[in-house]
Amino acid sequence: MKLFKSLINLLFPRTCAACGNLLLEGEDTVCTTCRFLLPKTGYEQHPDNPLAQMFYGQMPFNAVMAEFFFSKTGKVQHLIHGLKYHHCRENGIFLGQEIGKSLLQAPDYQGIDFIIPIPLHPKKEKIRGYNQSHVIAEGISGIMNIPIAEKCLVRSVFTATQTKKSREERWQNVKDIFELKNPEKLKRKHVLLVDDVLTTGATLMSAGKALMQVEGIKISVATVACAGN
Ligand SMILES: [Zn+2]
């Protein structure tokens, strides 16, 4: 079996998804050096971090974090790009696992009942074959042992008439791009909203707005990456 594995490795060399170097035996997806060098934010330990501040006075999230800064070396970008455009599901699992390990140590992220990935537009999901946020959520779920709430938050279905609407009406619609299904399931629960990157915060605002309709809900946010400091 070991010989067979070595032979497979020889014929199909496995490379690090972040730097492209050959993986050693026992290494998976990302090499040990990259795991050590990827720039962690540590934001989960700092309730007043810059990402949390983005939502002050706008959305009462319990906590907001990103696991990594977009790195100068481009390794974090490379991992996300592979996940989104090159069918590298394992990158998403790895990134989710890294988030999960950090959150296990973070006081603000304890007692989470469900993980909710930001839903992808169904058309995009069909092309990609999966929702990248869901894959990241799977990685987190495995480490934290918390279930994913499937199909609770969904993208609103638009009709063809949408294109005829005025700019202002369209903006209204952008703000309401998400809908809730089974809101009873989330009543008085602590949920972890998961997305790949946090840039303007518009998507999370919109998802938060939909989720806030649930009585007694507590929403924490975890993302893979944000702009550097
Ligand atoms: Zn590497």
Side-chain angles (χ1 to χ4, degrees):
M1 194 60 203
K2 207 170 173 194
L3 185 73
F4 179 71
K5 235 176 153 180
S6 303
L7 190 65
I8 291 286
N9 275 343
L10 198 68
L11 293 173
F12 307 99
R14 302 177 314 133
T15 55
C16 167
C19 73
N21 288 340
L22 283 179
L23 286 175
L24 302 173
E25 221 178 294
E27 287 181 339
D28 237 340
T29 313
V30 175
C31 75
T32 312
T33 313
C34 284
R35 280 170 194 254
F36 187 70
L37 292 176
L38 289 178
K40 288 185 189 278
T41 67
Y43 280 171
E44 68 282 359
Q45 300 290 347
H46 299 279
D48 290 329
N49 70 64
L51 299 181
Q53 285 177 23
M54 275 172 64
F55 299 98
Y56 283 179
Q58 300 195 71
M59 185 59 64
F61 287 136
N62 171 63
V64 184
M65 66 83 79
E67 178 68 14
F68 300 112
F69 289 121
F70 280 125
S71 50
K72 288 195 182 78
T73 57
K75 284 179 180 176
V76 176
Q77 291 91 317
H78 197 71
L79 284 165
I80 295 174
H81 191 85
L83 169 65
K84 288 172 84 164
Y85 306 109
H86 297 290
H87 305 284
C88 302
R89 265 183 121 264
E90 65 278 12
N91 292 13
I93 299 290
F94 163 76
L95 293 166
Q97 286 171 339
E98 291 301 298
I99 294 174
K101 285 186 235 168
S102 295
L103 299 191
L104 281 178
Q105 313 294 329
D108 288 338
Y109 287 88
Q110 300 308 302
I112 297 167
D113 300 288
F114 292 111
I115 301 172
I116 301 183
I118 291 278
L120 193 62
H121 192 282
K123 265 189 200 159
K124 268 193 188 166
E125 188 166 342
K126 207 165 180 192
I127 294 167
R128 200 165 292 171
Y130 54 81
N131 169 8
Q132 72 272 8
S133 297
H134 195 284
V135 180
I136 296 159
E138 287 167 38
I140 301 174
S141 175
I143 294 289
M144 299 186 83
N145 206 11
I146 297 166
I148 297 173
E150 302 287 353
K151 302 197 166 48
C152 273
L153 187 68
V154 297
R155 291 252 169 188
S156 308
V157 183
F158 293 132
T159 56
T161 55
Q162 173 127 34
T163 47
K164 291 178 191 144
K165 284 181 180 163
S166 73
R167 226 183 120 184
E168 200 166 315
E169 279 174 309
R170 273 207 305 269
W171 171 236
Q172 273 302 323
N173 277 333
V174 168
K175 287 200 284 186
D176 296 321
I177 50 177
F178 298 107
E179 259 178 71
L180 278 177
K181 305 268 185 211
N182 303 314
E184 309 81 39
K185 187 178 169 174
L186 305 177
K187 238 179 184 178
R188 283 182 285 281
K189 300 291 186 205
H190 183 183
V191 301
L192 181 71
L193 195 53
V194 172
D195 205 359
D196 50 4
V197 298
L198 205 168
T199 45
T200 65
T203 312
L204 288 165
M205 280 285 287
S206 178
K209 199 179 149 212
L211 287 167
M212 277 299 167
Q213 297 168 47
V214 179
E215 190 194 319
I217 196 168
K218 180 170 160 184
I219 309 168
S220 295
V221 174
T223 60
V224 169
C226 65
N229 47 352

